[in-house]
Amino acid sequence: YSGIDLHSKAIATAEDYYQLASDRFEQLFASYLIQRSYLTAGNWDGYLERLNLHRDLVSDIVTNPQIISPKIQRHLIVSSYFNPYLEDNPRINKPLQNKLASVYQNNIQPLTFHSDFENKVPLEKKTDIIRIGYLASTLREHSVGWLSRWLFHYHDRQSFQIFTYCVNQKHTDKFNHKWFRSKADISYYFSTNYKEIVAQIREDEIDILIDLDSLTFDVSCLVMAHKPAPIQATWLGLDASGLPAIDYFIVDPFVLPDDAQDYYQEKLWRLPQTYLAVDGFEVGIPTLNRRDLEIPDDAVVYFSSQGGYKRHPDNIRCQMRIIKAVPNSYLLIKGKSDPDMIRDLFGKIGEEEGVSLDRLRFLPGVPDEYTHRANLAIADVVLDTFPYNGATTTLETLWMGIPMVTQVGQQFAARNSYTFMLNAGITEGIAWSQEEYIEWGIKLGLDRELRWQIKGKLHASRATAPVWNAKQFTLDMEQAYREMWAKYQEQKDCYSIDLHENN
């Protein structure tokens, strides 16, 4: 129901499932579905009403773990998925996620395979190169696909053998074929049978397995939990899952604070500049103009484009205060959610803050990403969300040369825009509190000259900034892979020596 935008039915069905749940583990999964249904719709009031019950269920399970039925165990790890959307509190939420991940992994049964398991013949292993496997359900026209494609484009195919394990997606996908299948030594396309994926990764003798899904896809979590490769890392798709089977979380100097290792299970592997870079984005033909939206030519247009998950009421309130303070300003709101619920959410907060509904414009979806990027040109200022920032939307905004305002927090999800802005060469618009967020929003709205200066900086940065240098970024990633492999070999050699001496 959520997938076809019947949000009220989705919520009702999730609530019915909760009433039918037979044990606390099934109740927890049902509660997760309720949260997902409410937030997909943009119904934050309903989500907040169920929040304490969900937290009690999570606390009970991590405190009193027990054997979980196979039907539910695969979903357990995602049950705290929405915590970063609610609050910026990684010192509490990350350890909780780590505990959930440990309970989950402890309930995963080891896989054994018969000798007659059907497999493709693996690519001949060359001892002088490193085999890198990428596991993802998103190597398509998806945020992860758009952002990761440049790494595949620039990979050194003489030093690395590249494998892609595409889950739940078609091998006929043109985008996938152009950017991933044609750039890999071998590509596989699987359904959601995780046993087949684990078996193939083991058969291929992958040295380093990179997970691009993390908590966004439970099948990928199952695969990683079985540790099919000696070195496993999470990159790009989402914050780290906390699985004990994952060795590294690939980040940079800015996207996590200096003390973040204190609450991560995974070892943080910090790249020297940015944890992601792209060579830019293709842009289509705009379909938005001020006249059709009944916005005056001399108005200040603010733009915010995110799904219902990210529409935290506290952040909306900050945006309303900016609109109220800047005369002749309008806010354009775009993103997947229930149109009536999101209108009610913004309208209610706007009324409380003294902003009339006629200063808000709710935009429909567009056919493709190319059009979305072109339509960004209508904006004078983009307002980011908090505590969960944009990522792809931030990079698209910066590429289009549009000033933006972001609030920086402590968690990974609250620092994406921060690292991308720094690596694009701008600090204007970076706020460290709600008050600064509002101040920057007002300042950028009132100061047209400042907006033009930032636009000039952003256009100039295309030639020099780390975030637009995917070739150098790929070299940094490949160096990280070499160091990970060398460290693993050294530890393995030490273990062999110790074992020999003990014998």
Side-chain angles (χ1 to χ4, degrees):
Y1 284 133
S2 286
I4 58 175
D5 297 329
L6 295 178
H7 298 287
S8 294
K9 286 191 175 182
I11 292 168
T13 305
E15 293 279 11
D16 286 346
Y17 179 40
Y18 182 85
Q19 295 301 320
L20 294 168
S22 59
D23 59 39
R24 60 194 179 123
F25 296 104
E26 198 162 7
Q27 282 182 332
L28 180 61
F29 179 51
S31 180
Y32 158 78
L33 292 178
I34 291 170
Q35 288 188 316
R36 180 172 180 166
S37 300
Y38 275 121
L39 287 182
T40 301
N43 185 336
W44 271 79
D45 288 341
Y47 166 65
L48 293 172
E49 286 174 6
R50 296 299 303 257
L51 183 61
N52 287 334
L53 175 60
H54 185 82
R55 283 178 162 172
D56 289 345
L57 282 167
V58 173
S59 178
D60 179 39
I61 284 174
V62 299
T63 304
N64 304 292
Q66 56 186 242
I67 301 301
I68 310 169
S69 69
K71 182 176 68 172
I72 297 300
Q73 68 180 16
R74 65 189 297 170
H75 303 302
L76 176 64
I77 193 170
V78 302
S79 58
S80 62
Y81 178 88
F82 294 107
N83 283 345
Y85 295 90
L86 175 69
E87 61 182 356
D88 175 39
N89 193 356
R91 286 198 170 274
I92 298 297
N93 290 331
K94 285 305 297 181
L96 179 65
Q97 178 60 40
N98 295 341
K99 290 177 183 177
L100 271 174
S102 293
V103 173
Y104 167 85
Q105 185 160 314
N106 290 339
N107 275 270
I108 298 296
Q109 297 299 313
L111 292 179
T112 56
F113 299 102
H114 300 294
S115 59
D116 61 348
F117 187 90
E118 292 185 2
N119 261 317
K120 297 179 181 179
V121 177
L123 192 66
E124 181 184 356
K125 188 172 179 66
K126 300 176 182 178
T127 57
D128 57 338
I129 70 172
I130 302 173
R131 287 187 162 198
I132 309 295
Y134 292 94
L135 173 69
S137 61
T138 48
L139 299 183
R140 48 188 167 84
E141 288 187 275
H142 176 280
S143 288
V144 170
W146 285 110
L147 301 181
S148 65
R149 58 185 174 146
W150 297 108
L151 174 64
F152 288 81
H153 179 71
Y154 287 115
H155 251 318
D156 177 2
R157 301 282 290 280
Q158 302 303 311
S159 300
F160 300 90
Q161 283 181 321
I162 307 302
F163 296 70
T164 59
Y165 301 89
C166 303
V167 189
N168 205 29
Q169 61 186 89
K170 298 178 180 179
H171 71 278
T172 55
D173 184 291
K174 292 181 180 178
F175 186 88
N176 174 277
H177 190 281
K178 176 181 178 180
W179 289 102
F180 302 102
R181 187 176 181 183
S182 67
K183 308 291 185 182
D185 290 282
I186 189 166
S187 293
Y188 300 101
Y189 297 85
F190 294 96
S191 65
T192 56
N193 187 333
Y194 73 94
K195 294 181 181 180
E196 291 182 357
I197 306 170
V198 171
Q200 191 63 64
I201 294 169
R202 289 177 176 172
E203 183 75 14
D204 291 334
E205 299 181 10
I206 294 301
D207 298 316
I208 303 176
L209 180 63
I210 307 297
D211 171 30
L212 284 83
D213 286 338
S214 189
L215 297 177
T216 62
F217 197 47
D218 56 2
V219 174
S220 297
C221 291
L222 273 171
V223 172
M224 300 301 283
H226 282 92
K227 192 73 171 178
I231 302 171
Q232 300 194 154
T234 296
W235 173 64
L236 185 60
L238 195 74
D239 200 348
S241 65
L243 278 172
I246 297 179
D247 304 287
Y248 300 109
F249 181 33
I250 299 172
V251 293
D252 64 31
F254 312 108
V255 77
L256 284 176
D258 292 342
D259 62 352
Q261 188 63 71
D262 294 347
Y263 44 83
Y264 271 86
Q265 180 281 132
E266 301 85 350
K267 176 69 176 176
L268 300 180
W269 194 288
R270 295 189 189 261
L271 299 180
Q273 296 182 100
T274 176
Y275 83 93
L276 173 67
V278 299
D279 274 3
F281 296 97
E282 300 88 339
V283 181
I285 306 298
T287 58
L288 277 184
N289 63 71
R290 296 189 177 209
R291 182 175 300 175
D292 290 345
L293 294 173
E294 298 182 347
I295 295 175
D297 290 340
D298 61 346
V300 176
V301 174
Y302 292 91
F303 193 102
S304 182
S305 176
Q306 300 294 349
Y309 289 11
K310 298 184 181 181
R311 297 297 187 184
H312 197 291
D314 290 349
N315 181 247
I316 294 175
R317 195 170 300 281
C318 291
Q319 294 175 351
M320 292 300 105
R321 291 176 181 176
I322 292 169
I323 301 302
K324 182 179 180 180
V326 178
N328 195 26
S329 65
Y330 294 78
L331 176 61
L332 277 54
I333 301 150
K334 178 178 176 289
K336 186 174 175 60
S337 54
D338 183 283
D340 294 330
M341 291 183 187
I342 208 72
R343 184 183 292 268
D344 289 344
L345 177 63
F346 273 84
K348 176 186 175 183
I349 297 174
E351 183 179 5
E352 292 170 356
E353 294 297 329
V355 176
S356 62
L357 199 60
D358 63 7
R359 295 179 68 181
L360 309 179
R361 300 289 186 272
F362 297 89
L363 306 179
V366 293
D368 50 54
E369 291 88 348
Y370 312 100
T371 306
H372 164 72
R373 295 167 197 145
N375 284 344
L376 287 171
I378 197 174
D380 294 303
V381 182
V382 167
L383 298 178
D384 197 11
T385 47
F386 184 87
Y388 206 113
N389 295 168
T392 309
T393 51
T394 294
L395 286 168
E396 290 169 331
T397 297
L398 299 176
W399 181 254
M400 294 299 294
I402 301 167
M404 72 178 298
V405 182
T406 189
Q407 182 179 339
V408 188
Q410 295 299 303
Q411 66 184 1
F412 177 82
R415 298 173 71 93
N416 272 290
S417 296
Y418 170 55
T419 189
F420 295 151
M421 290 172 74
L422 288 180
N423 278 294
I426 61 168
T427 56
E428 298 88 344
I430 295 175
W432 293 88
S433 66
Q434 288 185 346
E435 292 74 21
E436 283 190 31
Y437 181 93
I438 295 168
E439 289 170 5
W440 269 117
I442 295 170
K443 183 178 179 62
L444 288 170
L446 296 176
D447 194 336
R448 184 180 181 184
E449 180 62 29
L450 177 58
R451 296 200 302 269
W452 279 105
Q453 290 175 10
I454 295 170
K455 184 179 286 287
K457 279 186 178 182
L458 287 171
H459 281 301
S461 78
R462 290 185 177 188
T464 59
V467 78
W468 311 130
N469 190 345
K471 188 173 184 178
Q472 180 58 53
F473 163 74
T474 302
L475 293 174
D476 292 340
M477 280 285 277
E478 291 176 340
Q479 181 59 29
Y481 293 160
R482 290 186 182 94
E483 292 176 13
M484 289 176 190
W485 184 242
K487 185 175 181 180
Y488 168 76
Q489 295 283 46
E490 181 182 344
Q491 291 172 340
K492 189 171 69 170
D493 290 344
C494 289
Y495 175 78
S496 298
I497 291 171
D498 289 343
L499 188 62
H500 176 74
E501 290 177 348
N502 289 335
N503 287 338

